[in-house]
Amino acid sequence: MSAPKLLLVEDDMALAELLEYRFENEGYDVRVTADGEEAMVMAAENAPDLVILDWMIEGISGIEVCRRLRRNKETAHVPIIMLTAREGEDDRVRGLETGADDYVTKPFSPRELLARVAAVLRRVRPALAGEAIEAGDLRLDPVAHRVERRGRQLQIGPTEYRLIKFFIEHPRRVFSRNQLLDAVWGNGSEIEERTVDVHIRRLRKAIAIDNARDPIRTVRSAGYALEPV
Amino acid sequence: MSAPKLLLVEDDMALAELLEYRFENEGYDVRVTADGEEAMVMAAENAPDLVILDWMIEGISGIEVCRRLRRNKETAHVPIIMLTAREGEDDRVRGLETGADDYVTKPFSPRELLARVAAVLRRVRPALAGEAIEAGDLRLDPVAHRVERRGRQLQIGPTEYRLIKFFIEHPRRVFSRNQLLDAVWGNGSEIEERTVDVHIRRLRKAIAIDNARDPIRTVRSAGYALEPV
DNA sequence: ACAATTCTGACGCAAATTTGACATATGACA
DNA sequence: TGTCATATGTCAAATTTGCGTCAGAATTGT
């Protein structure tokens, strides 16, 4: 459910299968393709959390895939790890320039790649790496599916959980009700805008504790934001 | 019964016998073969818990055996320890690249290998190392195949045993019904998701004792987790 | 004070979980 | 081999929990 989704673009089938097994064993949700064009389609459909991209693949080159991913608004921020057989400084630089977040030089051990993936995810989206995320006195443990405030467990429903998780991942930023509907409820949800208010209220009630101040700020005619202490 | 099953692939007969003796003495269930092809067959039939693999063996090479083991879904997750006479970094990397979990360089003392085996087993599946595992007031003895709570034996069925064993090995973590099906029932089991609920209920009934609190947490729309006291 | 916006409590519905029951499968033992 | 006891997977009813909507009350900005 909350397994990080990887997209592996690799045309060495033996390597691809090996990696697929290892990553699935570590709890990732892996899709594989050998083709650059197909990779674009899969990235658009599946919204992966991270892309592992071989430099040399059939069809359009890895670097071109990288560029196109960055150009598309949907996938612009997806972290990318490049696999490259070359060791030249040029390629390395070009890879990072094009927007790759990290690169691994062949030959490499799956363990090393696993470590890099975990590191990048931890940096970009800690919750996906299974790490607890926090904002102010709020702390959310994605593995245990729990939220606590000042060490005390909060009793919280599924929707409120997703809502506060989103807020903690993007603190201080104001989101309109529609943005929240997209992010928390999923795209194209046909839900009344006002419903967000109700869930904000439920969330406020759930995190109210020790009569501490309410960290959720209402921005009139704009939306809501989480203001950590 | 629950002795860890080792598969030793080694063509130096003297060494093989020595190791076999030592490991059996330590309570392992050891099979030996000198041939790579045969090793594949034995691995498929016997489902070993760990494979000790000599780099240089007759027939297909050790590294090839390693690759094939990984490729086969049945044996993809079996930990592998490589034995190698070489010390070059290249081989080391190539061994790990193929998916070995550890390697030992010849010459080595049997004691060292024993330690590595125990370490790998402990890391991968603590229960296989023969150690009792516990979480809160629950205690599971993998050797005796029993579970007790506060010193009292629990009467528990096979499926519930595997279920709670998995939970104790991964406490506090939430698992979806599908993850539990994969982990407890085995890969690709075509079992109804709702069946998990029933076994959770049976497990709850089995571990209910002294009207102690139920340590299994239901996480609505996510799955279940074990919350040790 | 007025209009726009947000908050709040209530309510019916829907979805998810729990529970009891049942038919079948499995294994031990005579 | 047949019998008995236990275990297993599925189903449907019962129950719990959460969700989305509404409308009146309260608040905010001008």
Side-chain angles (χ1 to χ4, degrees), chain B residues 133-135 138-140 164-171 226:
Chain B
I133 53 181
E134 36 191 290
L138 289 166
R139 182 185 163 82
L140 183 148
I164 199 174
K165 181 172 163 199
F166 181 71
F167 272 130
I168 295 180
E169 282 174 327
H170 305 94
L226 176 68

Side-chain angles (χ1 to χ4, degrees), chain B residues 10 16 33 37 88 135 148 153 202-203 210 220:
Chain B
E10 170 60 74
T33 176
E37 301 284 359
E148 57 185 42
Q153 291 281 349
R202 287 170 180 158
L203 177 56
D210 298 339
R220 189 162 244 254

Side-chain angles (χ1 to χ4, degrees), chain A residues 1 14 17-18 21-22 25 107-111 143-146 158, chain B residues 70-71 77 96-99 101 172-174 217 219-222 227:
Chain A
M1 182 105 296
E17 269 181 45
L18 169 66
Y21 281 135
R22 295 285 286 199
N25 202 27
F108 58 88
S109 69
R111 186 166 305 187
V143 173
H145 241 258
R146 308 205 96 137
Chain B
R70 287 292 183 244
R71 200 167 303 157
H77 305 312
L96 292 176
E97 183 183 331
T98 317
D101 290 78
R172 270 176 297 282
R173 184 164 173 164
V174 177
R217 178 164 71 110
V219 182
R220 189 162 244 254
S221 79
E227 297 291 333

Side-chain angles (χ1 to χ4, degrees), chain B residues 3-188:
Chain B
K5 287 181 285 188
L6 303 186
L7 174 58
L8 172 60
V9 190
E10 170 60 74
D11 58 357
D12 175 346
M13 287 318 258
L15 179 59
E17 269 181 46
L18 168 64
L19 291 177
E20 186 179 11
Y21 172 76
R22 292 282 297 210
F23 275 97
E24 281 184 344
N25 214 24
E26 292 289 326
Y28 292 94
D29 177 4
V30 189
R31 319 254 154 146
V32 185
T33 176
D35 179 70
E37 301 284 359
E38 197 182 23
M40 297 302 305
V41 177
M42 291 173 77
E45 282 176 354
N46 190 246
D49 297 304
L50 185 145
V51 177
I52 301 171
L53 189 56
D54 193 334
W55 183 277
M56 302 289 293
I57 50 173
E58 300 166 17
I60 55 181
S61 75
I63 202 168
E64 181 57 26
V65 173
C66 192
R67 242 183 228 124
R68 292 201 199 173
L69 285 173
R70 287 292 183 244
R71 200 167 303 157
N72 189 331
K73 192 141 201 170
E74 296 296 315
T75 57
H77 305 312
V78 178
I80 297 174
I81 294 182
M82 285 280 226
L83 304 181
T84 167
R86 316 183 188 180
E87 292 196 3
E89 177 67 17
D90 286 356
D91 290 347
R92 179 178 299 181
V93 170
R94 278 172 59 206
L96 292 176
E97 183 183 331
T98 317
D101 290 78
D102 203 350
Y103 62 93
V104 177
T105 306
K106 292 184 186 178
F108 57 87
S109 70
R111 183 166 309 186
E112 184 187 348
L113 183 55
L114 273 165
R116 299 286 186 116
V117 168
V120 170
L121 283 181
R122 197 153 34 235
R123 177 165 54 77
V124 179
R125 297 180 60 191
L128 273 182
E131 293 174 353
I133 53 181
E134 36 191 290
D137 56 3
L138 289 166
R139 182 185 163 82
L140 183 148
D141 181 347
V143 178
H145 230 257
R146 327 201 91 133
V147 187
E148 57 185 42
R149 188 173 192 192
R150 307 184 178 179
R152 285 179 55 183
Q153 291 281 349
L154 302 180
Q155 188 169 351
I156 213 169
T159 306
E160 282 70 50
Y161 174 82
R162 275 179 280 133
L163 190 55
I164 199 174
K165 181 172 163 199
F166 181 71
F167 272 130
I168 295 180
E169 282 174 327
H170 305 94
R172 270 176 297 282
R173 184 164 173 164
V174 177
F175 296 97
S176 70
R177 293 174 174 74
N178 267 317
Q179 287 177 307
L180 290 173
L181 281 176
D182 277 359
V184 175
W185 274 259
N187 291 32

Side-chain angles (χ1 to χ4, degrees), chain A residues 3-223:
Chain A
K5 287 181 285 186
L6 304 186
L7 174 58
L8 172 60
V9 190
E10 169 61 73
D11 57 358
D12 175 348
M13 284 321 254
L15 180 59
E17 269 181 45
L18 169 66
L19 291 177
E20 189 180 5
Y21 281 135
R22 295 285 286 199
F23 276 97
E24 281 184 344
N25 202 27
E26 292 290 325
Y28 293 93
D29 179 1
V30 188
R31 318 255 153 145
V32 185
T33 176
D35 178 71
E37 302 283 359
E38 197 181 25
M40 297 302 304
V41 178
M42 290 172 79
E45 282 176 354
N46 191 245
D49 297 304
L50 184 145
V51 177
I52 301 172
L53 190 55
D54 194 334
W55 183 277
M56 301 288 293
I57 50 172
E58 302 166 14
I60 56 182
S61 76
I63 202 167
E64 181 58 26
V65 174
C66 190
R67 241 182 229 124
R68 290 200 200 172
L69 284 173
R70 287 291 183 245
R71 200 168 305 154
N72 189 331
K73 188 144 201 172
E74 296 296 315
T75 57
H77 302 310
V78 178
I80 298 174
I81 294 182
M82 283 281 225
L83 305 181
T84 168
R86 317 183 188 179
E87 291 197 3
E89 179 68 18
D90 287 356
D91 290 346
R92 181 177 300 179
V93 170
R94 275 172 59 206
L96 292 177
E97 243 173 37
T98 317
D101 290 78
D102 202 350
Y103 62 93
V104 177
T105 306
K106 292 185 186 179
F108 58 88
S109 69
R111 186 166 305 187
E112 185 186 347
L113 184 56
L114 273 165
R116 300 285 185 113
V117 168
V120 171
L121 282 181
R122 199 154 34 234
R123 179 158 52 77
V124 180
R125 292 186 62 189
L128 277 180
E131 281 196 348
I133 54 181
E134 33 192 290
D137 55 4
L138 288 167
R139 181 186 163 82
L140 183 148
D141 180 344
V143 173
H145 241 258
R146 308 205 96 137
V147 187
E148 58 184 43
R149 189 172 191 191
R150 307 184 177 178
R152 285 183 50 184
Q153 297 279 351
L154 303 180
Q155 189 169 350
I156 215 168
T159 306
E160 282 70 52
Y161 174 83
R162 275 178 282 134
L163 189 55
I164 198 175
K165 181 172 166 198
F166 180 71
F167 273 129
I168 295 181
E169 281 177 324
H170 306 92
R172 271 175 297 281
R173 200 165 135 188
V174 179
F175 296 98
S176 72
R177 293 173 174 75
N178 267 317
Q179 286 177 306
L180 290 173
L181 281 176
D182 276 0
V184 176
W185 274 258
N187 293 33
S189 64
E190 310 254 333
I191 287 179
E192 199 60 37
E193 245 193 3
R194 292 275 130 227
T195 300
V196 176
D197 300 23
V198 179
H199 282 279
I200 289 284
R201 172 176 152 274
R202 286 172 180 157
L203 177 56
R204 277 174 166 152
K205 185 178 285 184
I207 66 179
I209 214 177
D210 297 338
N211 54 30
R213 92 172 169 78
D214 176 15
I216 297 175
R217 181 161 66 103
T218 301
V219 183
R220 199 178 170 83
S221 75

